[in-house]
Amino acid sequence: MKKILFLSAVLTFASCKKEEKTTIDNSQIATEEAAPAATPEELGKSIFEGKGNCVSCHQVDQKVIGPSIQEIAKTYKSKNADIVTFLKGNADPIVDPSQYDVMKTNLAVTKEMSDEELLAIQTYIYSHLK
Ligand code: HEC
């Protein structure tokens, strides 16, 4: 009899432990699943540094081939202009028009992007406003 009691105690303990572990696993899965739902700023950053490859010409705070992200943000804010309209090819350049030809080839890429992606890029650029 004692043996049975002991056994069931062990079993209960073991099953508790198992349940606890399952809960932890579930919460980890939940966090991983939540990750892709990024904010517009995060999405913009990932396009800017990923498939858009904008980062090869636009650094955050210094001019390389193109003006810095900070400079673009500052110019667009001060002139109350619209980055999305420019990236759709529907507005003239206002940051460094003399270098527009270098940027122009990228508009073929940005024109194909969805409004959501372009807005995300704009949000990312404005996140660098000082
Ligand atoms: C090959 C280099 C290069 C790449 C890649 C590039 N740019 Fe540019 N970009 C430039 C240059 C040079 C200028 C300055 C000319 C100008 O102002 O249009 C510029 C200007 C801009 C401007 C300011 C336009 C204005 O009003 O004057 C924005 C906004 C911009 N780029 C966004 C982007 C985004 C978003 C990407 C990625 C999809 C990108 N660029 C990729 C070179 C590049």
Side-chain angles (χ1 to χ4, degrees), residues 47-48 52-58 63 65-67 72 76 83 86-87 92-106 109-110 113 121 125:
I47 298 169
F48 207 88
N53 197 26
C54 322
V55 75
S56 61
C57 293
H58 296 290
K63 184 184 157 86
I65 298 167
I72 295 174
Y76 269 80
I83 294 175
F86 172 78
L87 294 176
D92 291 333
I94 55 172
V95 179
D96 188 1
S98 69
Q99 296 297 308
Y100 180 51
D101 280 350
V102 184
M103 179 58 204
K104 213 174 169 182
T105 50
N106 296 289
V109 177
T110 53
M113 290 182 185
I121 291 177
I125 291 176

Side-chain angles (χ1 to χ4, degrees), residues 28-121:
Q28 273 170 349
I29 290 166
T31 344
E32 271 163 32
E33 271 172 5
T39 64
E41 186 184 327
E42 283 164 351
L43 176 64
K45 185 178 199 291
S46 72
I47 298 169
F48 207 88
E49 295 175 354
K51 73 169 183 180
N53 197 26
C54 322
V55 75
S56 61
C57 293
H58 296 290
Q59 301 283 308
V60 171
D61 57 3
Q62 59 176 324
K63 184 184 157 86
V64 261
I65 298 167
S68 69
I69 300 176
Q70 282 173 354
E71 194 188 336
I72 295 174
K74 218 172 70 192
T75 308
Y76 269 80
K77 174 128 201 284
S78 70
K79 301 202 172 167
N80 206 8
D82 195 298
I83 294 175
V84 173
T85 308
F86 172 78
L87 294 176
K88 282 183 174 175
N90 296 332
D92 291 333
I94 55 172
V95 179
D96 188 1
S98 69
Q99 296 297 308
Y100 180 51
D101 280 350
V102 184
M103 179 58 204
K104 213 174 169 182
T105 50
N106 296 289
L107 297 184
V109 177
T110 53
K111 271 179 191 169
E112 297 302 317
M113 290 182 185
S114 68
D115 284 1
E116 191 197 358
E117 289 174 312
L118 293 176
L119 279 169
I121 291 177

